[in-house]
Amino acid sequence: QAGEAAVTTASEVQKLLTPDFDQQQLAEAYAALPIHSKKELALTGADLIKAGVRPGPAMGKALNQIEQRVVAGALPNELKSCCRSQLKCLKIVCECVMMSM
């Protein structure tokens, strides 16, 4: 995946800049992330459309915010837990759209 390649490159550069840099710790932190790509999100654009969200830039921004929340551990990457109902799904999307403005 592109993310893994970027982490490897960044790790190699950092090792050159800081000889005592712990490449293993960075690799472990990356491996521990809940997702490594937006494609791994449990919640998709199709799910948002089903919940009544219109496709467009706002939906893209919402998905970016959701991805960031999942990576940060603030939102579980489980469709059932992050969207138990259409109303909750819309609330999450609205919050994410507002955060991206």
Side-chain angles (χ1 to χ4, degrees):
Q1 288 181 324
E4 188 173 347
V7 168
T8 300
T9 301
S11 180
E12 290 171 3
V13 169
Q14 188 62 37
K15 184 69 174 169
L16 293 172
L17 297 172
T18 312
D20 62 342
F21 176 71
D22 187 353
Q23 290 177 298
Q24 184 63 33
Q25 184 180 8
L26 179 62
E28 289 171 4
Y30 177 76
L33 291 173
I35 62 170
H36 300 96
S37 165
K38 187 174 286 182
K39 293 179 181 179
E40 295 177 31
L41 276 176
L43 186 66
T44 67
D47 296 318
L48 298 180
I49 291 168
K50 286 179 189 174
V53 178
R54 290 193 337 218
M59 187 170 79
K61 288 179 182 179
L63 284 170
N64 287 336
Q65 289 293 324
I66 290 167
E67 176 186 22
Q68 290 175 13
R69 287 173 132 186
V70 168
V71 169
L75 188 66
N77 190 35
E78 299 171 12
L79 185 59
K80 287 183 181 176
S81 61
C82 70
C83 278
R84 293 195 188 278
S85 69
Q86 287 186 353
L87 182 59
K88 181 161 182 159
C89 183
L90 289 172
K91 181 179 180 225
I92 290 169
V93 172
C94 289
E95 288 173 3
C96 291
V97 168
M98 294 305 290
M99 289 175 57
S100 67
M101 293 182 159

